[in-house]
Amino acid sequence: MYIILLKYIKPLEAVDAAISAHIEYLDKYYNQEKFILSGRRNPRNGGVILCNAGDQKEVEAIIAEDPFHIGNIAEYEIIEFQPTKGIPELADLIS
């Protein structure tokens, strides 16, 4: 399991211009059940994605398709973690 932290490196005008394409990108990976949760950071300086990928190379390949990455709008930090506890609805994600 991975947490992907995005930090905007361009003004919000650039973010807003690419947001529709970014949402399509998110939808693609929600449909593949790779993304579990996502949302804006508060204050609005980036975003967070909870990603269920096989390994870091897969996460990097997924990020490479993000319009925010392609447009150099955001920087990314990838944090790998092993879920060991959670609510019953997420039991399939816990080792």
Side-chain angles (χ1 to χ4, degrees):
M1 186 75 60
Y2 296 86
I3 298 170
I4 304 169
L5 299 176
L6 290 76
K7 180 181 175 188
Y8 300 144
I9 55 175
K10 287 194 176 172
L12 287 178
E13 293 79 17
V15 173
D16 290 339
I19 199 75
S20 292
H22 177 71
I23 291 170
E24 289 180 21
Y25 155 82
L26 292 173
D27 288 344
K28 173 183 177 178
Y29 286 102
Y30 275 111
N31 289 334
Q32 294 180 25
E33 298 185 356
K34 294 296 180 180
F35 290 169
I36 309 300
L37 295 168
S38 62
R40 293 179 179 169
R41 292 169 70 166
N42 189 14
R44 189 178 175 207
N45 60 4
V48 179
I49 301 170
L50 183 59
C51 179
N52 188 23
D55 57 35
Q56 182 145 339
K57 286 188 177 209
E58 182 180 8
V59 176
E60 291 168 356
I62 289 170
I63 289 171
E65 295 181 28
D66 187 349
F68 287 172
H69 174 51
I70 294 166
N72 199 33
I73 295 168
E75 295 176 332
Y76 298 77
E77 179 182 358
I78 300 169
I79 301 169
E80 182 176 6
F81 77 104
Q82 185 66 49
T84 56
K85 191 161 181 66
I87 61 173
E89 293 82 2
L90 298 178
D92 290 346
L93 302 174
I94 298 170
S95 299

